[in-house]
Amino acid sequence: MAPARRDCSGWEMFLPTGCLLLSVLLFHPALAKVCNDRTKHGQDNSWFARDGENLPIMVLMPMNESALMSGISQGIEPAVQLAIQHIRESRKYSFSLITKIYDTECDNAKGLRAFFDAICYGPKHLMIFGGVCPSVTSIIAESLEGWNLVQLSFAATTPVLADKKKYPNFFRTVPSDNAVNPAVVKFLNYYNWSRVGTLTQDVQRFSEVRNDLTSELEKADIQIADTESFSNDPCVNVKKLKDNDVRIIIGQFDESLASKVFCCAYNLNMFGSKYQWIIPGWYQGNWWEQANTTNCTTKKLLTAMEGYISVDFEPLSARQIKGISGRTPKEYEREYSRELQQKGVEASKFHGFAYDGIWVIAKTFTRVMELLRIKQRQNVYHNFTVDDREVGKLVLDVMNETNFFGVTGQVMFRNGERMGTIKFNQFQEGQEVKVGEYNAIADVLDLINNSIRFQGVEPPKDRTFVRLQRRHINVPLYSILSTITILGMLMAGAFLFFNIKNRNHRLIKMSSPYMNNLIILGGMLSYASIFLFGLDGGFVSDKEFETLCTVRTWILIVGYTTAFGAMFAKTWRVHAIFKNVKMKKKIIKDQKLLIIVGGMLLIDLCILICWQIVDPLKRTVEEYSLEADPQGRDIAIRPFLEHCENTHMTIWLGIVYAYKGLLMLFGCFLAWETRNVSIPALNDSKYIGMSVYNVGIMCIIGAAVSFLTRDQPNVQFCIVALVIIFCSTITLCLVFVPKFITMRTNPDAATQNRRLKFTQNQKKEDSKTSTSVTSVNQANTSRLDGLQTDNHRLRMRITELDKELEEVTMQLQDTPEKTPYIKQNHYPDANNILSIRNFTDGKDGEKSILKNHLEQKPQAQWGSMDPSRINRGPLEDINSPEHIQRRLSLQLPILHHAYLPSIGGVDASCTSPNGSPGSSPRHRHMPPSYRVMVSGL
C-alpha cells in the first residue's frame, strides 16, 4: 500500500534533493524493495520460530552534540541499555533485542537520509524506536504504513502526531502535550474555577495545545473569558486579560518568553492572592535566570512567579511498587544514576519512558511470536510463511493491547496515545514543589494534603466575585422618620377627637365637622404612606415589594385628594353662599360636599384602576458600577436599587400631576374669591392659601430633589418623608389650630353676625375696573346699614305699640263709656302705627287697608257696645270672636310688614325703601290662612 503524498516544502530548504529522496522512499517502494532484496537484511521470515534470535530495532534520535535536543538522546542511551540488560536478566524472553542508533541530528533531510540508510543497508528492522524532534518524527511517521513498520517514540510530545488518520502506525510512551489538558480541566473543577483565560505563544505547537484545551474546556462547561496570542511582546495581551477580569490564566509559551510574561504581570500587578497562573512544567531548572531578557530583576520575577502551577507528565511514578522489570521506580532510578555516572552524561527527563518503551517492544515481540507460532501449528501443509504486511499488522494490534506497570506508571495506549500520569508542581519560595498528580487512566486527581500554598487565605477567585448589595434605607433613619410620622398621626388623632367632641359647638358646626374629619383622614393616609415608602427588599419579598408599589401610590394619592378635596369643598360652599349676587337664600348641606369629594375620589380611582390594568407598577432593579470591598476582601460590590416603575411611567405621572395641579389651582381660586368673607368660622381662605402655597412649593422641590437623588435611597426617602410630614402637618395645623385657639380664648367671636366688609385691596381693584360700580356699591352699603338700624328701632316700637293695644282693648271692655276718650286719645296711636308702616314700606296701599279696618262700622267697634255683652265677664269678653278679629285686623298688617323681612319671608326687593308693598303680588293676593300662620309666628 503506497503512502499518501506529502508536501516537501517544509524541509526542501535543508536539502535541495530532499523531495527527490522522499519520493523515492514514499512513492517508489519497489525501489526500496530492490534495496532490501539486495542487502537481504541477514534475516528470513522464520525468525519467530527460533529461540535466541536477535531482533534488530531501529533507533532514531539526534546524537550529535551540536544538534538541537541532543541532550535528550545522550541521557536516553543508558536507559535503553539498562532495559535490554534487565530483559535479558529476566530470562522470560526467548530473543535478544539489538538496537542500532541512527543519528537524525534533529534535521529533516539528515533524518530522512538516516532512515533511508537504515532501510536499505541495515538489517530488517521489525520496529522503529525513537523520534525526538517533532519535524523529523512527523515526516518519518507518515511513511510507516507503506513500510509496514510501527514506530514507538519516547520523547515526541507534539500534539500533531495524535492524528491517527495521518499517523496510524505511530505510538509513544510519553504523553503528548495535549494529555495535560484533561488534567488541567480536572484541576480547575477541583477549585470550582469556571472562568479562565488563555495566553498562547504564536507557535504551532502551543496553538495546537490551546485548540485542544478549548475543546476540553467547552466540554466541561468552563467559560473562556479571553484568548490572547502573542509573538514577542506579551504585555499588551496581558493587559487585555486584566481588563477582561481574567483571574485564572493558562499559559502556553516556552521559557524564553515566560520571563517576559511574568515581568509584564509584575508591572500590571497581576500576581498574588487574586491571580493564579498555570504554565507548562517542562521548563529547565532555574529557567528564569537563564532566559531573563527583560528589564525586570530576578527578585521581581520571583515575586510575580510565586505560586504559579506547572503541569507536565510524571517522568517516574510515585507509586513504589515493583513493575514489569521487578524493580520499583526508585530502584530503577538508582541504577540509572549509576549508569550516568559511569558514562559521564546528564540525565534526561525522558529516560523512564525510553526504559518502559524497550519493555513495550519486548512484550510486543513476545506476543507476536506466540501468535505466529500458533498460526504455524495450525497450518496443515507445514509450509507457513508470513510477509511484512502481516507482521506489521500483528505488531500494531498487539501494541494497542499493551497494559503493564512500568517505572513511569501504568503503561497502556488509547489510539496510540499514552495514558500516563500528569504531575502538578507549584512554585514556592524559589523552587517547584510537587503538589499532586492526575491519573489519566482512572481520571482521578490526587492532591497532596496542605501542599498547595496560595497567596491569600483561600484559593483565588476565577473572577472578580461580584456581591450584589442592596442600597437600602438605614434602619435608624427609618426609625426616626417613623417616630415623627407617629407623632404626626397622634396629632391628627387629637384633632379628630377635638372635632368630634365639639361637633355641636357653633364654631365647629359652622366649619363643617364632617369635612374636617375628611381632612384629618386624608392627612392620616398621607402619614401612613411614609411607612410603606420606607420598606424595601430588605424587609419584604420581591412579590410583596411589587404589591407595596401599588398600595403606597394609592394611599398617597387618595389621602391627598381626601384632605384637599374636603378643604376645597368647604371653601366652595362659602364661595357659593357669599358670592350670590341675587342675595337669594341658598342652603348647601354637607351631603352635597361629600358628593363633591366623592367625585374627586372617583376620578382618582378611575386613573389608578386604568393605571393598574394597562400598565401596572412592577419591581425593577437598577445596578450600578462595581465598587471595591470596604473590608479589603477579594470581592467587588455591585450596588443595586429597587424601583417601582412601569413602561410608561412618565405619562401616568403626568396625568396624576396634571389632575392634582388643577385641584390646587381650583383651591387657590376659591381661596382668593372668598378672601373678604369675615366670618372666621366659615372662611378658611387665608389658611387654605398658606397651605396650598407651602404644599405646592414643597412638592415641587421634593419631586425635583427626589428625582435627582433616585440612586441614594436614604436621601430620597428622607426628602419624600419630610415633604409628606411637612405638608400634612402644616395643612392640619392651619385648619385646626386657629379653631382651637378661638375656642380657648373667645368661643363666640367667630360666630357673630357681621356684615360683609370690603377691604382696601378690594376697593382698589374695583376702582381699577369701574368707578361707577364703586360708587354704587358704597351707596348701597350705606343704605343697607341705615335700613338695618331703622329696622331694629321699628321692631322695638312695634313691640311697645302692641302692648298699648292690648291695654286699650281691655279698657274697652271694662269702661264702655270712655269711648269718646279712647277715640280722642288713642286714635292718634293708630295713626302712628300707620305712619310707621308708611315709613317702613312707603306704600299707600297698605295704609288704605289699615284705614279700612279702622273705619268699617266705627260705632260697633269704638262707640257702642252690644247690650248682650254688658253682663259678660272681662276674661270672656277679651277672648270673644269680636275682640280676636279686632286684634287681628290691627296686628296683622303691622306684623306682616315688620317681621317677615327679618326672617326671610319677604322677597329681598320688598325691603327697599323706595318700593311699594302693594305692588308685590304676594301682599295683594295673600290667602287668609297664610296671614294667620305668619301672624302666629
Side-chain angles (χ1 to χ4, degrees), residues 295-350:
N295 55 0
C296 292
T297 62
T298 303
K299 182 178 180 180
K300 292 181 179 179
L301 287 179
L302 292 175
T303 301
M305 292 162 50
E306 184 67 25
Y308 75 70
I309 300 292
S310 63
V311 186
D312 195 15
F313 53 81
E314 183 74 87
L316 290 176
S317 176
R319 299 174 62 187
Q320 298 304 315
I321 59 176
K322 294 183 177 181
I324 192 173
S325 65
R327 294 168 178 81
T328 64
K330 283 291 185 181
E331 294 172 349
Y332 156 75
E333 189 176 18
R334 286 195 293 268
E335 294 185 27
Y336 174 72
S337 299
R338 287 197 297 267
E339 292 291 330
L340 291 178
Q341 292 177 357
Q342 292 177 2
K343 296 183 178 181
V345 295
E346 294 183 358
S348 171
K349 62 179 296 185
F350 299 98

Side-chain angles (χ1 to χ4, degrees), residues 92-379:
K92 295 180 181 179
Y93 303 93
S94 60
F95 54 84
S96 297
L97 296 178
I98 306 299
T99 58
K100 176 64 176 177
I101 298 177
Y102 296 89
D103 187 6
T104 61
E105 300 185 33
C106 209
D107 181 88
N108 292 344
K110 293 179 180 180
L112 286 173
R113 181 59 182 267
F115 178 69
F116 179 76
D117 290 343
I119 293 295
C120 288
Y121 305 109
K124 187 175 182 180
H125 303 92
L126 298 178
M127 285 190 65
I128 300 175
F129 185 66
V132 177
C133 302
S135 59
V136 177
T137 304
S138 60
I139 292 174
I140 295 175
E142 191 174 0
S143 65
L144 293 177
E145 189 177 6
W147 297 100
N148 299 314
L149 291 174
V150 176
Q151 181 178 2
L152 179 63
S153 174
F154 54 82
T157 61
T158 176
V160 69
L161 294 172
D163 186 0
K164 301 312 294 181
K165 293 182 179 179
K166 196 172 185 179
Y167 311 102
N169 289 22
F170 180 81
F171 291 79
R172 49 187 166 190
T173 56
V174 61
S176 91
D177 293 336
N178 286 345
V180 302
N181 292 334
V184 171
V185 171
K186 201 75 173 180
F187 187 78
L188 296 175
N189 288 330
Y190 182 84
Y191 287 103
N192 296 321
W193 290 331
S194 59
R195 186 176 184 271
V196 300
T198 60
L199 182 64
T200 308
Q201 183 180 348
D202 196 7
V203 176
Q204 181 181 4
R205 174 187 180 185
F206 300 118
S207 299
E208 291 171 350
V209 176
R210 180 196 60 195
N211 295 337
D212 183 76
L213 176 63
T214 300
S215 177
E216 294 289 338
L217 292 174
E218 291 177 352
K219 292 178 183 178
D221 197 22
I222 297 177
Q223 177 189 0
I224 303 177
D226 191 13
T227 299
E228 296 293 331
S229 300
F230 67 95
S231 298
N232 187 27
D233 185 10
C235 290
V236 176
N237 306 94
V238 174
K239 178 67 165 56
K240 290 181 179 179
L241 291 174
K242 183 177 182 179
D243 294 339
N244 290 327
D245 191 34
V246 176
R247 310 287 290 277
I248 310 300
I249 306 169
I250 303 174
Q252 293 291 340
F253 37 77
D254 56 32
E255 58 260 40
S256 62
L257 291 177
S259 58
K260 293 183 178 181
V261 170
F262 282 104
C263 182
C264 298
Y266 180 85
N267 294 330
L268 294 172
N269 198 30
M270 292 181 64
F271 62 92
S273 60
K274 295 183 178 181
Y275 294 90
Q276 182 60 61
W277 289 83
I278 301 175
I279 62 174
W282 42 262
Y283 296 164
Q284 299 296 323
N286 297 331
W287 57 268
W288 57 90
E289 295 179 354
Q290 301 173 8
N292 187 6
T293 59
T294 66
N295 55 0
C296 292
T297 62
T298 303
K299 182 178 180 180
K300 292 181 179 179
L301 287 179
L302 292 175
T303 301
M305 292 162 50
E306 184 67 25
Y308 75 70
I309 300 292
S310 63
V311 186
D312 195 15
F313 53 81
E314 183 74 87
L316 290 176
S317 176
R319 299 174 62 187
Q320 298 304 315
I321 59 176
K322 294 183 177 181
I324 192 173
S325 65
R327 294 168 178 81
T328 64
K330 283 291 185 181
E331 294 172 349
Y332 156 75
E333 189 176 18
R334 286 195 293 268
E335 294 185 27
Y336 174 72
S337 299
R338 287 197 297 267
E339 292 291 330
L340 291 178
Q341 292 177 357
Q342 292 177 2
K343 296 183 178 181
V345 295
E346 294 183 358
S348 171
K349 62 179 296 185
F350 299 98
H351 67 89
F353 299 103
Y355 180 85
D356 284 342
I358 297 299
W359 281 97
V360 170
I361 294 174
K363 285 186 66 65
T364 300
F365 285 169
T366 301
R367 181 58 179 164
V368 169
M369 292 173 67
E370 291 177 357
L371 293 175
L372 290 176
R373 289 175 182 178
I374 293 173
K375 288 185 177 182
Q376 185 181 29
R377 288 194 297 268
Q378 293 175 351
N379 191 334

Side-chain angles (χ1 to χ4, degrees), residues 580-827:
N580 183 14
V581 179
K582 295 183 179 181
M583 300 291 289
K584 291 183 178 180
K585 185 177 180 181
K586 197 167 188 178
I587 299 177
I588 302 176
K589 296 184 179 181
D590 287 347
Q591 287 80 353
K592 190 170 184 179
L593 300 184
L594 291 175
I595 293 175
I596 295 174
V597 177
M600 296 179 183
L601 290 176
L602 183 62
I603 297 175
D604 272 337
L605 292 178
C606 291
I607 296 175
L608 292 173
I609 291 173
C610 293
W611 190 351
Q612 183 65 23
I613 295 175
V614 177
D615 193 11
L617 288 171
K618 295 182 179 179
R619 173 183 177 270
T620 60
V621 177
E622 181 181 4
E623 295 185 353
Y624 298 91
S625 57
L626 294 175
E627 299 176 358
D629 180 51
Q631 300 179 3
R633 295 172 297 179
D634 185 20
I635 60 174
I637 304 298
R638 183 180 295 279
F640 73 94
L641 189 59
E642 296 168 311
H643 297 290
C644 293
E645 294 180 347
N646 53 13
T647 307
H648 305 288
M649 189 73 175
T650 305
I651 297 176
W652 293 108
L653 288 179
I655 294 174
V656 173
Y657 290 159
Y659 171 55
K660 302 304 177 184
L662 291 176
L663 189 62
M664 296 286 283
L665 291 177
F666 179 65
C668 292
F669 167 76
L670 294 177
W672 176 260
E673 286 291 312
T674 60
R675 67 190 183 280
N676 295 316
V677 177
S678 59
I679 302 176
L682 295 176
N683 186 22
D684 294 330
S685 61
K686 180 176 65 175
Y687 304 120
I688 291 175
M690 295 173 60
S691 177
V692 170
Y693 174 79
N694 286 285
V695 171
I697 295 298
M698 290 301 297
C699 287
I700 293 173
I701 295 175
V705 176
S706 175
F707 177 78
L708 295 176
T709 59
R710 68 191 307 268
D711 58 339
Q712 303 177 36
N714 288 312
V715 178
Q716 187 183 44
F717 172 67
C718 184
I719 292 174
V720 171
L722 290 179
V723 167
I724 295 176
I725 291 173
F726 177 82
C727 294
S728 301
T729 304
I730 198 69
T731 300
L732 293 176
C733 289
L734 288 174
V735 172
F736 292 98
V737 170
K739 293 178 174 55
F740 180 77
I741 294 175
T742 304
M743 287 280 294
R744 299 286 293 179
T745 56
N746 189 9
D748 296 327
T751 59
Q752 293 176 357
N753 186 15
R754 300 180 181 180
R755 63 181 178 86
L756 294 176
K757 296 180 179 180
F758 289 85
T759 61
Q760 189 67 24
N761 293 333
Q762 179 65 30
K763 292 180 181 180
K764 291 180 179 180
E765 181 180 350
D766 294 340
S767 64
K768 293 179 182 179
T769 57
S770 175
T771 305
S772 61
V773 173
T774 303
S775 61
V776 171
N777 290 338
Q778 292 176 350
N780 290 336
T781 303
S782 301
R783 182 178 299 173
L784 181 62
D785 290 341
L787 291 175
Q788 288 177 347
T789 303
D790 293 340
N791 188 25
H792 181 70
R793 180 175 57 80
L794 290 175
R795 288 178 182 177
M796 300 300 296
R797 181 58 182 165
I798 289 172
T799 303
E800 294 174 359
L801 292 176
D802 187 56
K803 292 180 180 180
E804 293 179 2
L805 182 61
E806 293 293 333
E807 292 176 359
V808 169
T809 303
M810 294 181 67
Q811 290 175 3
L812 287 174
Q813 291 186 358
D814 295 337
T815 56
E817 65 277 3
K818 295 180 180 180
T819 302
Y821 173 80
I822 295 173
K823 288 184 179 179
Q824 294 177 1
N825 294 285
H826 294 277
Y827 188 77

